[in-house]
Each structure stands twice: as structure tokens, then as C-alpha cells.
Amino acid sequence: MTKELYSISHIAKILKAQSFLPHPDNVIRKLLTDSRTVIDPEGSLFFAVKAQRDGHSFIHHAYQNGIRNFVVSDLGYAEKYADANFLLVNNVLQALQDLAAYNRNANDLKVIGITGSNGKTIVKEWLYQLLAADFNIVRSPKSFNSQIGVPLSVWQILPEHTLAIFEAGISRKEEMGSLAEVIQPTIGILTNIGEAHAEGFENKEEKLAEKLKLFKQTELFIYAPEYVAGINISDLPGEKKFSWSMTLPADLKISFIEPIEGRSYIRAIYQEKEIECLIPFIDKAAVENGIICWATLLALGYSPEEADLRLEKLTQVSMRLELINGIENCSIIDDSYSADISSLAIALDFLNSQNQHPKKTLILSDIYETGKKNEVLYAEIAALLAQKNLNRLIGIGPNISAFADLFSMEASFYESTQSFVENLPAIHFSNETILVKGARRFEFEKISKLLTLKIHDTVLEINLNALAANLQFYRSKLKAGVKVMAMVKAFSYGSGSFEIANLLQYHKVDYLAVAYADEGIALRKAGISLPIMVMSPEPSAFEAMVKHQLEPEIYNSNILKSFLNFLPAYEKNFPIHLKLDTGMHRLGFERTDLPALLKILKDNNQLKVVSIFTHLVASADTEHDEFTTHQLNEFAYLYKELEHQLGYQPMRHALNTSGVTRWQNAQMDMVRVGIGLYGFDSALDHNKGLQTVAVLKTTVTQVKELKAGETVGYSRKGIMSNGGKIATVKIGYADGYNRTFGNGVGKMLIHGKLVPTIGSICMDMCMLDITGMHVKTGDEVIVFNEQHTIVDLAEQIGTIPYEILTNVSQRVKRVYFYE
Ligand SMILES: *Cc1c(COP(=O)(O)O)cnc(C)c1O
């Protein structure tokens, strides 16, 4: 069977849209809201949704990518693209949801809807693992659970599907109603209701009430009474209900949980009998999600024995793509835990967002359980790879090998992971970005391991989604048209270089700024084409700067003169940025310097002042607001002088991170956001609204028991008067863990518990007091994360988050991930 074919004119009718259809018979297979993620341009319909940014401004980009079908709320664009189909609606997001709801209604199948604060994606993926043997399942890709993600997920339902599993997430009041219309679940599952996203709601009750709206029409509702405390059972949704609990009376009453060799053995009372199961995880969240799946299997009528058999085989769900340095100067994107078409498309977009190597390679296994015939499936994949400009494919598995002819790029094929690994010495890799993507059973983690350089035990993990979310956070504060310059100096505040810059470029910031020319050159070599400002241009680097189109910050007449002297006569209008000193007294022109400056610049056609800026000294401090106002006034005065004399209007900018938060009227033409992107803003209360980007981890190298009176480390500084236990961990001051953290000043997290340092911090190691804890070699140690934050560390040693972050030394491996 194939999908009920939706022609564009049929969709126009469904949406009751005014339509302009030069090609009314175009068949629509895919819906899109992001002009960058095109898979099947002819068969795609682009919705110009007004979200953080107005989707209408991406119509041109979508058109360039081959899209010829659009849903808009503003017809201004229709004339420009006379050969494209346009549907006009009042509200584009609503239209997207209506169309998805129509597709939902057109298909009669069981639909599981999942909501809650935590665990939605894991429960969804596990139910997929547990039920795939009995149903042809469609599910949300990754964690597509938003106002946009849900309709895109529901659109995927085809007539041959027999079960759908969708998750729904909300962050504000009044959001669930529309998702309920789109999903119309017949079975509802509520997962853990935590504190997450509470900010959009008055309180927990309000949040819960909103979430339960998803289940209004369900036949069966699966929940824990603890999650719905305060609500009368008769007010709960669902014709039938199935409850589980560890503490309260419930249909599935958990009586006993014990960890055994990395698995959890669980007993419960069900239908007045004792039953049991084994879940192959021990952490608390996994056990809870596992029990939710257990309850679901029983509620669906599976026998306790069958449920146990299936639960035992659950495998870890990893939603992360990791970007790691590889052999032969390659970059490896490790997505070795799953393979289906939609996650492949997401991973390919990520591959394309990383431009450090021109060559892009994919190692891909057979794909299973798509509900499609192999010839259709692999033709679709071949088209996707061609569309995404992949240069090289290595296919692993009998199915993909059988369709080798479909792939037009450089390609080679292997029957199994084993045969690829055996042949690896003869396979040539160099200067490529390699995406490793395989179905679980192919065990591609073996391949990733062989291709990546050995990871040291200390790693700085960088969450690229969190960084993108923080960028969005600051963007949402900007007035229309205000540009963003992202500060990526000092290796992006210690977080990386081209990996971060590539992400920022993908998310369309307007400018980048680095401290030194060599940082800028490295970005150019990694494929960054955004304009880049260099804040400390040195004469020795002028030549390279001009060659790589790096724009100098000019902060005094000397540097201006030497740059002009250097600049070859044929260079005209070379972009420069003028830095004005309005109170920092570091670098920059002051009032008295203007005449000399203007004398050089006036009538000079070799240079073009593209921007004029100043830096605030205390944008976060209320006590210095008067001074900040003075700085802004002085800047306005100086700018006016310059503008008048130059005869044109360079961009103006003054605000850094905290400035954006506190000085909304001084955004001018551009803002310069630095530390906020990395999750810190001293103008915000506890960085509220920002996400943690960097997590520094290490491991326990050795555990020792000490007798009373023995001492630890150099100069016998660590004294254990009563004896106890210590762990040696592989991080020291050469990694950026300051010596002043020694002797109990600093703390780290082991198994979720804060433990103090003992003795002095050594160059490559330090010791922790773990008396009374069960800790073994190889256990993970968190130096900082979202729980034990960089702000806490900074307070411990009397510094600021900037210093903690930028001090993490370059020998600490960076691992980037993207969910
Ligand atoms: C570093 C820097 C910024 C960014 O400051 P944050 O407080 O990190 O946002 C802005 N402007 C200039 C000139 C800088 O040097």
C-alpha cells in the first residue's frame, strides 16, 4: 500500500486556503518548516511558520533548494516565484497542525501518546523496541514533540502502519490542546512530572492539568498515582485506567527492586499474584521508565512472562550524535545506536553543518523495520544522499550491498561489520568528516572506536543543542533587524573552535569575533564564511588577515597607520571596525583622538568603516548603571561626530551578554554575545533560561584505604586523622583545575554526591576524600555540570565563570554532541 496521495490542490481544500497553483497536481510527501533540511524538494511543502524568526524570510532559501510548494500568511512572495504553488492561510502553524490532524483522522490505528517532564523519548523508544515484533510502528523522530515537531511526526502516518507512538512536550499554558487534536491518542502514558519547564506555569498543578489535556479522549490511561497527586481519580482521563506505584495501591504495585550485576531485578503484585521482571539498567530514571514500559505491556494484555522476556532485552537509547577527532585528521560523527530515515536525515544535516573538511563520508548499515520494500527504501536513501551532497558512502550489510547500483557517489560495500573491520587497514581515510550511522545490531560502536583517537579519561563535553538554545534565548530579546556578533575568542571561551563556529554559522549569526588573527585563520580553514572581526590585529599577521578576509578592529592611530601602510594599493574599501573607549580605558579612541583619526580616514577609499563600537565595563551591575548610561551617551556623541565626517553610517554596537539582558534600548544595530552562549549571564538570576553547555568529566584511577594519621599528597598537606578512603582522579592543574582547589576547597561529584579534594592538587592528578562511599576504579567523576556548576567552582576559589571555563586546557579532549 502507498500513502493516500495528497496533491497540493487536495491540501488547499483541506486547509480551506486561498490558492495560487500553477502546478495543481504536485504530489506532497513531506512537510517542512526549515529551509535547510530538504530531502525531497519536489515532494515537499514548506510552511513559513512565524516562530523565533519569521519563516517567510526563508522562502527564498527554500526556493533555491528546489522547493516549489509553500504555505504562507503573506502573499508578498508569491509574485516573485511565479512557477511555485502558494497557499494563503491566516496562521501557518495552525495550518500545519490542521493538515497533520487530517492525516491522523484519515488513518485508523492505535496511537500511544506520551507526555510528562522527563523520560518521554526513552519510553517512546523502548516501547518501539518492545512492540516492533507485533506492529508496524510509526513514531516521532528523535524528540520531535513541540508545536511543530508533533505535526511533522503525525504526518508520517501511512495506511500500512498499525501503531503510532508520539511524544508531546509543552512549555507554556494552552499548548496541549492543539497537540491533542493532532495526535488524538487512544492510549495515554504519563511519565515523570518533574520541575522541568515549570517557568511557563504558575505551579506544578497547573502544569499537570495542562499535560493531562492530551489524554482527554483516550481509551486507556497509564500513570503513577504519585504523578497526579491532588487530582481525584474520577477526574483522571481514560475510559480504562492502569496505575503503577512503588508506594501507593496500584494495579501494578512494585514491592521490591534490587540491582544485580548492572541489572535491576523487580518484583510486583499484579492481579493479586507476585510477578517479576529484569530490566538491564540500574540508574533510577531508567528503572522508572522501565516500569512504565512494564505497566504498558501488561495494560495492553501481554502476559507477565512475555513482558519479562521482552524487557530483559531492552537496549540503551542514545539520542546523541557525538563529534570527535578521528584518525588521519578526520572528524568522526558517531551516531552508532540507531538507523532510520528521519534520523539519518537529521544526522546528514549535522554533517553538512560541519565544514571543517570538504569531503563528507557516510558509513551506513542496513536499515530495518521501516515498513517499506527494500527497493523503495534504498532508492529513497540514495536520493537523500545525493540531495545532501555526500561524497562517499561505505555501505555495510547484505541489503544495502544488494542495491549498490543506486548510489551515484564514490561507494564501497561490505557484507558485515566484521568484514569492514578486517579490511580497514586497506581502506583510505584522510581529511574527511565521517558520519557513522548504524542499526543497533551492527554494533557500529566498534567502528567508531577504531576511527577515533583514543579518548583521554578527562573530557569536556559540549552540548551543541544547548548552545543553539542559548543563542535563541538572546535572539528572542532582540528587536527586529538587530544583528548578532558571536564572540568565539579564546577557543570559544574554551569550548572549541570550528565546531562551535560551524554551529553558529548554521544558525545564521551575522558576525564572529576572535581575539587573534590565527584564530580567524583556523576558522577560515574550517570552512567558515561569515565575516570575522579580529580584536587584536598584529602587524605580523596583516598579510594573512587580508588573504583570509579577516576584518581588523582598529583601536588607535598607530595600528591604523601601519595597516594602511601595509594594504596594497589595489585593495579598496577593506572593512575595518573602530573601537571607541568610553570608560573601559583599555583600547580604543577617545574624544581627543578623533581629529587625528578623521584626518586619516576622511576621503580614504582603501578602508571602509563597517562598524563603530564600544565595550561596557559594568553592564550587569546595577550600582554602576549611571556610569553605563554615561558610556552610552559618550558613544552616541562620538558616533555622531564620526558619522558626520565620514559621510556614511557604519553599524553601531555596544552590548555584551549582560548588556542584552539589561539594556534593551541600547541594542543599536548589533550586539556582541559571548559568555551567554556558553550558559552564563551574571545579569540573570541563577542563569535562568540558559542551558548548561559544558560538562567536565574525569574518572577514578585508583582507590586507597588510609589508616588514621596517614597523609595525602605533596608536603603531607592532606591529613586523615581518623583514616578513611581516597580516590585518585586524573585531573590536575595542567588540565586547568586550579591548585587553589586543593585541601578541601574544591569538590567533585561521584555517584551524585559532592566529595571534597584532599591534599594539594598535582599537575596531572588530584585526590578526593570518599570515606564511606562505594567507589571503584573507572567510575565517573564530574568536575562541573548543570548540578555542580562553574559558578559554584568560581565561588569556591574567588574567581569568575569566564576564567574557569577558559582555563580548561587544550589537552583536555573536547567531545561535541548534538541531540
Ligand atoms: C569578550 C567581549 C564581549 C563579550 O562579552 P560577554 O560578557 O562574554 O558577552 C563583547 N565585546 C568585546 C569587545 C569583548 O572583548
Side-chain angles (χ1 to χ4, degrees), residues 157-412:
I157 302 176
L158 300 172
E160 59 263 36
H161 289 126
T162 54
L163 172 67
I165 313 178
F166 298 126
E167 54 176 290
I170 50 169
S171 51
R172 249 176 274 124
K173 273 182 274 188
E174 311 297 331
E175 284 190 334
M176 194 57 100
S178 53
L179 299 187
E181 298 270 312
V182 176
I183 299 178
Q184 298 173 35
T186 57
I187 299 166
I189 298 177
L190 184 65
T191 64
N192 189 306
I193 290 274
E195 298 302 325
H197 305 299
E199 59 263 38
F201 298 92
E202 292 288 321
N203 51 41
K204 221 166 151 172
E205 287 70 40
E206 187 182 84
K207 182 168 69 169
L208 177 62
E210 182 69 27
K211 295 205 177 209
L212 289 178
K213 285 188 194 161
L214 176 63
F215 305 126
K216 250 203 306 226
Q217 314 276 347
T218 50
E219 294 155 19
L220 171 62
F221 175 51
I222 298 157
Y223 70 103
E226 287 87 343
Y227 297 166
V228 293
I231 297 192
N232 265 335
I233 183 151
S234 55
D235 293 338
L236 288 176
E239 286 162 38
K240 279 194 283 176
K241 299 177 195 7
F242 190 100
S243 60
W244 67 271
S245 177
M246 301 189 197
T247 52
L248 300 168
D251 296 310
L252 179 68
K253 171 71 179 58
I254 308 298
S255 52
F256 179 86
I257 304 179
E258 186 175 270
I260 308 176
E261 292 175 2
R263 306 199 283 182
S264 298
Y265 172 65
I266 308 176
R267 279 205 303 260
I269 305 295
Y270 169 64
Q271 295 181 342
E272 294 169 11
K273 281 205 236 27
E274 176 149 275
I275 63 169
E276 58 182 23
C277 80
L278 206 52
I279 293 175
F281 300 95
I282 51 169
D283 67 285
K284 200 167 153 255
V287 169
E288 187 167 326
N289 292 327
I291 293 172
I292 293 173
C293 291
W294 194 16
T296 305
L297 289 180
L298 296 170
L300 290 176
Y302 287 89
S303 70
E305 295 74 29
E306 182 63 27
D308 180 30
L309 276 178
R310 293 189 184 196
L311 286 164
E312 235 176 272
K313 298 199 197 90
L314 283 180
T315 57
Q316 185 149 13
V317 175
S318 172
M319 290 285 129
R320 289 163 55 140
L321 296 175
E322 289 195 344
L323 174 65
I324 316 168
N325 287 336
I327 56 168
E328 307 296 341
N329 196 31
C330 291
S331 303
I332 310 299
I333 299 173
D334 183 3
D335 191 8
S336 56
Y337 288 98
S338 70
D340 54 66
I341 286 218
S342 54
S343 74
L344 175 61
I346 293 168
L348 287 167
D349 285 329
F350 184 64
L351 175 68
N352 274 331
S353 78
Q354 289 294 323
N355 300 303
Q356 56 268 33
H357 309 294
K359 185 164 181 182
K360 300 194 187 331
T361 298
L362 167 67
I363 304 182
L364 179 68
S365 76
D366 286 352
I367 294 187
Y368 296 97
E369 286 153 1
T370 59
K372 293 186 174 127
K373 286 214 184 84
N374 277 341
E375 49 268 37
V376 176
L377 172 68
Y378 291 101
E380 225 172 278
I381 292 175
L384 175 63
L385 302 189
Q387 165 76 25
K388 299 288 180 191
N389 295 319
L390 190 81
N391 303 102
R392 176 183 184 188
L393 169 70
I394 295 175
I396 299 183
N399 296 346
I400 193 168
S401 302
F403 292 96
D405 290 349
L406 293 175
F407 299 94
S408 53
M409 66 286 306
E410 177 190 346
S412 52

Side-chain angles (χ1 to χ4, degrees), residues 600-655:
I600 308 174
L601 283 183
K602 237 184 142 180
D603 308 317
N604 179 306
N605 68 354
Q606 282 210 277
L607 298 177
K608 168 106 183 173
V609 180
V610 288
S611 90
I612 299 178
F613 71 104
T614 192
H615 197 29
L616 301 177
V617 304
S619 60
D621 301 344
T622 41
E623 64 174 297
H624 295 304
D625 281 355
E626 211 174 304
F627 189 77
T628 302
T629 307
H630 158 78
Q631 280 197 281
L632 291 169
N633 289 340
E634 179 68 7
F635 178 70
Y637 172 84
L638 297 174
Y639 179 86
K640 210 154 167 233
E641 278 296 301
L642 287 164
E643 176 204 357
H644 179 67
Q645 302 269 348
L646 289 172
Y648 56 90
Q649 283 141 8
M651 288 189 290
R652 299 157 300 161
H653 46 113
L655 300 184

Side-chain angles (χ1 to χ4, degrees), residues 767-782:
M767 279 66 85
L768 302 173
D769 183 349
I770 51 160
T771 305
M773 292 177 68
H774 290 287
V775 172
K776 56 183 191 314
T777 302
D779 284 359
E780 182 178 273
V781 182
I782 303 284

Side-chain angles (χ1 to χ4, degrees), residues 69-93:
N69 306 289
F70 297 90
V71 178
V72 296
S73 56
D74 173 355
L75 261 195
Y77 301 84
E79 297 152 26
K80 271 191 247 163
Y81 310 106
D83 63 332
N85 291 321
F86 278 83
L87 304 185
L88 177 67
V89 297
N90 283 330
N91 178 330
V92 176
L93 178 62

